[in-house]
Each structure stands twice: as C-alpha cells, then as structure tokens.
Amino acid sequence: LAGHPELEESSLIANGEKIPFYAGRGRNFVAAEFSSLSYLRETAINDQIQLVAIEVRKSNLGNVPDFPGYSMLVKFEDPRYIALIYRRNP
C-alpha cells in the first residue's frame, strides 16, 4: 500500500495490525482481528470499505471468502503466511 499513494485516504479494514502498520496507517483502519473472515467480508461490502487487507497462514488460504465487487491489488507470501489486499472496484 505504501507504493500506492493515491490510496492513502482510502478506507481500510484488516484482520491484523501488520499490513496497516507497514502501509504507514498506524491505527487508521477498521480492526477486525478477532472477527471471522466472513464478518470481515460482510463489513467491507456493507460499509463500502475501499481496501481489504487479510493475513492468513498458507494452510488457511482456502478459508478466505470471495470479495464480490473487489479486485486483488497485491499478494505477498512468505514461507508460512500470505497477505492479500483487495481494492473495491469503481
């Protein structure tokens, strides 16, 4: 996200603090750490949040729901985790 300055003011929901932190957001995001991914999806869609950031273990990638009306902006992987960032379609 830090590489996309045009998205700096976009609303963001995330299931953890790492992605917003590395994006320079600090605490400026909707935190959904202790919520299910389906709740995160529902909140993002219903509240028309512009960006969705999800970090999951690779073994749980199959549990990530579809986000209709969103496109994947970036995907990062390390040996254990995957970070996905979705952007709301115009």
Side-chain angles (χ1 to χ4, degrees):
L1 287 177
H4 296 274
E6 73 278 9
L7 301 175
E8 192 173 298
E9 298 298 318
S10 297
S11 54
L12 170 68
I13 189 168
N15 71 334
E17 296 181 351
K18 287 182 190 175
I19 296 172
F21 173 78
Y22 288 117
R25 292 292 185 105
R27 299 286 311 154
N28 186 20
F29 68 99
V30 177
E33 307 177 61
F34 302 106
S35 304
S36 68
L37 291 175
S38 59
Y39 173 80
L40 185 139
R41 174 186 180 268
E42 179 181 322
T43 302
I45 292 169
N46 290 342
D47 294 351
Q48 297 183 0
I49 293 176
Q50 298 300 308
L51 300 167
V52 179
I54 300 169
E55 182 181 359
V56 295
R57 287 184 178 270
K58 283 186 173 183
S59 60
N60 293 332
L61 186 59
N63 296 332
V64 176
D66 291 336
F67 284 84
Y70 289 79
S71 299
M72 187 176 301
L73 181 63
V74 290
K75 177 181 178 179
F76 300 102
E77 293 187 46
D78 71 17
R80 292 178 34 201
Y81 291 93
I82 294 180
L84 306 167
I85 301 175
Y86 295 93
R87 181 180 189 177
R88 185 175 165 81
N89 297 330

